[in-house]
């Protein structure tokens, strides 16, 4: 039998779940926020920047009060090609006007949950959800606590990429290798001063680095470096299906461990100066959803809505990862759907209302606009031929060893003719690139 | 550094009950054994005397879910049975 009842149960205290719970408690709803970790953030891992304007309305004071790491004012994309690296750096003091920050979730999520509890949210830690059932006039969240069934009008599944809510309710289809990327990450204690010097930053400023092209031609393998207050994080991301077959280190003489790729990446002459330091504070692993708009899994049933990573709301734009703000926005949209259902009592419409509003929100509009990007980023020429053309062109421009006569466009054309890419490929990829952005 | 050195930096409150189990019979016909290189915590180890060659330890699991996708969800494999660790147990990240 069910022992307790709430208006809404939110499963998972990541940013998406906490944003939903916070908003609902603020509106006077009885909300239970169920989390399996001892402390918020202990099960949570990110490799992204918080594009923070999404929190402006909900917690306007967050830039002053939240435990944020560094204010991101610089972004770098680096294409590796053999000994060379071609990079695009973007630094803009106007970015100071935008609340974009690096985060350590162990600190941020704890703060966010504390704020939600102040608003009246009931926080249940050390509680793992095992099943969710929908009955005639309510939903029930079954937990591993004794007498741990919780009845409610609606359930918000914010339980991450491996969502129990999505799997047990049958909302989400079975995930396969093609749907998921693996990420491993190291957090290294470098010290504030060294970070400022190494990355050319004032001490509250932060920088983000995205790398591709290593190993040469390996599509969907990328790396990142983020600066925190005292630490840096350096990580690798790769599609599971790519990692399964890339190289020959695996048992079946196919495959490469992602942690080996990260080690090799960190040893590259171009990378080592940024990431050196023996004081690894923590090693982490996480799955990252890799859907395009057209392959997004289902995210709702009658009384259940999936938000954040549980709904696959992550987009690798090639030059940055979006997900932290998508999660928060989807949580807020779910909270608004709850409010709508409380108004007219039609709780069976909860999931559908959430889904419709999410479709109109900037999260799915953004993913829709970039619907061809995930496929575009799987194109091997992006990781081999094109960085090669750029490298050869620049080498001819800057190296005294090569004949630098002739116009730059002619050098670029010669480099292109020597590459494996054909004119048709270039035209097609150029068109696809423009279309996907 | 090896991944084993990196795993020294991670903390766990290990449960008495395994949240992931492996049915070794299914490993016998698995030819490429992707678990050996795709698990980021090296929970799977090749040991010749084990059925199907796989020794599995749930204790150092970082709870990423990769083995659910590449093994449990693969109709040709399916040795892994996957669930989330019991409340308050398992990996404990400080710097996620």
């Amino acid at each position: 039998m069910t022992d307790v009842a709430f208006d809404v149960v939110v499963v998972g205290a990541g940013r998406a779940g906490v944003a939903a719970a916070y908003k609902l408690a603020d509106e006077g709803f009885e909300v239970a926020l169920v989390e399996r970790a001892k402390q918020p953030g202990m099960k949570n891992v990110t490799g992204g920047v918080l594009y923070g304007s999404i929190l402006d309305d909900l917690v306007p004071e967050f830039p002053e009060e939240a435990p944020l790491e560094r204010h991101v004012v610089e972004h770098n994309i680096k294409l590796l090609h053999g000994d060379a690296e071609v990079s695009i750096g973007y630094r803009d003091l106007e970015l100071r006007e935008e609340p974009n920050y690096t985060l350590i979730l162990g600190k941020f999520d704890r703060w966010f949950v504390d704020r939600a509890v102040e608003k009246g949210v009931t926080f249940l830690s050390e509680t793992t959800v095992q099943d969710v059932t929908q009955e005639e006039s309510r939903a029930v969240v079954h937990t591993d606590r004794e007498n741990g069934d919780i009845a409610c009008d609606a359930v918000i599944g914010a339980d991450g990429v491996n969502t129990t809510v999505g799997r047990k309710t049958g909302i989400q289809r079975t995930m396969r290798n093609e749907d998921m990327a693996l990420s491993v990450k190291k957090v290294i204690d470098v010290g504030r001063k060294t970070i400022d010097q190494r990355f050319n930053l004032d001490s509250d400023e932060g920088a983000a680095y995205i790398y591709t092209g290593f190993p040469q031609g390996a599509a969907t393998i990328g790396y990142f470096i983020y600066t925190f207050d005292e630490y840096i994080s350096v990580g690798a991301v790769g599609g599971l299906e790519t990692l399964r077959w890339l190289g020959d280190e695996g048992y079946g003489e196919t495959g490469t461990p992602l942690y080996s790729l990260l080690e090799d990446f960190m040893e590259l002459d171009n990378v080592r100066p940024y990431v050196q330091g023996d004081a690894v504070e923590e090693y982490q692993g996480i799955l990252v959803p890799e859907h395009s708009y057209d392959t997004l899994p289902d995210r709702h049933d009658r009384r259940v809505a999936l938000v954040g990573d549980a709904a696959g709301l992550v987009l690798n734009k090639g030059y940055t990862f979006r997900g932290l703000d998508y999660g928060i926005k989807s949580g807020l949209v779910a909270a608004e759907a709850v409010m709508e259902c409380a108004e007219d009592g039609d709780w069976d419409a909860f999931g559908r209302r959430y889904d419709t509003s999410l479709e109109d929100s900037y999260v799915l509009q953004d993913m829709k606009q970039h619907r061809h990007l995930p496929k575009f980023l799987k194109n091997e020429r992006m990781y081999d031929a094109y960085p090669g053309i750029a490298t050869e062109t620049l080498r001819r421009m800057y190296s005294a060893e090569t004949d630098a006569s002739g116009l730059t466009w002619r050098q670029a054309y010669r480099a292109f003719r020597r590459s494996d890419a054909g004119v048709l490929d270039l035209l097609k990829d150029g068109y696809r690139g423009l279309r996907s952005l | 550094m090896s991944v084993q050195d990196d795993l020294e930096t991670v903390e766990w409150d290990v449960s008495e009950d395994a949240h992931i189990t492996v049915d070794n019979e299914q490993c016998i016909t698995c030819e490429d054994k992707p678990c050996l290189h795709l698990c980021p915590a090296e929970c799977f180890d090749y040991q010749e005397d084990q059925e199907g060659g796989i020794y599995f330890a749930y204790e150092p699991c970082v709870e990423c879910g990769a083995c659910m996708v590449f093994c449990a969800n693969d109709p040709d494999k399916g040795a892994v049975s996957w669930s989330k660790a019991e409340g308050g147990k398992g990996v404990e990240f400080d710097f996620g």
Side-chain angles (χ1 to χ4, degrees), chain A residues 268-286:
Chain A
L268 293 174
D269 287 340
N270 290 337
V271 177
R272 197 186 323 105
Y274 287 124
V275 299
Q276 63 193 352
D278 295 329
V280 175
E281 286 291 322
E282 198 163 86
Y283 168 80
Q284 301 148 2
I286 189 181

Side-chain angles (χ1 to χ4, degrees), chain A residues 36 38 43 144 175 283-284, chain B residues 13 40 73 87-89 92:
Chain A
R36 64 195 182 96
K38 283 196 192 106
K43 302 286 185 185
D144 66 351
M175 289 297 141
Y283 168 80
Q284 301 148 2
Chain B
D13 184 344
N73 291 356
K89 297 292 181 183
E92 298 184 341

